[in-house]
Amino acid sequence: PRRHGGEFIFGDPASWGGPDVATSTDTRLYGTATARAWHRLHPRLTHRTAWTAQHGPLPIIEGTVILLTVDRLPSGATAKPVWLWWSQPAATTAEVDLLWQAFLRRFDIEHTFRMLKQTLGWTSPKLRDPHAADRWTWLVMAAYTQLRLARGAVGDLRRPWERPAPPERLTPARVRRAFRHLRTKAGNPARAPKPSRPGPGRPPGLPNRHPATRHDVHIVTATTSAKPKGSTKKTKTSNNPRPRRTG
């Protein structure tokens, strides 16, 4: 018996057949959004990449394929169909609507992580303890929440190329520009810092008795991928090496 059914070709609508689930939703930005889903489709795996070490027949991983089409895009560009994959073999009508709406929300999630890392310094400190990393993450999230709550209390300090936005639509990055004016007006429950000097540190010549814990992350480097024993092959060196920029 055939192990795989008929081929489902994305560019050939004749190979699709009737969808198992079809939904239609009216949206403000995209017009009518139509989603069609086909159940129990699976890719035909090959013995490559992640399946190189797999012996015998490869497994069949069934899922749901979703086709999303919209009438227009906010930018005015041509709206192309979007294909989505879900690892569950069958999806209900409510799940199909939830899946394509969650896909559109990924832009907000990506920009949020970008701001947490580049602007608020989420990954800047080199913390040794996982508990310290958790506390630092909560502090960064608290700062991000303050930027969200201060949208109606700050002015819009926008760049010349940015469009004006109402207070309820200000992004956290634009709120952060004007947050320094709000901070001077807010009360400070803490006392003034006392002047102090940094500590002397570890005396010279004294070894470090509390070294940092090293965690193996399984990164292949030049030392881990050394040549096998007994190899006498010499490395070829060029007599005319490529010039390097020094300025």
Side-chain angles (χ1 to χ4, degrees), residues 106-116:
R106 84 187 193 277
F107 298 102
D108 300 335
I109 299 175
E110 291 174 357
H111 283 283
T112 301
F113 278 100
R114 179 184 178 184
M115 182 181 180
L116 295 180

Side-chain angles (χ1 to χ4, degrees), residues 202-203 205-210:
R202 189 170 68 250
L206 186 65
N208 184 13
R209 301 183 183 278
H210 302 281

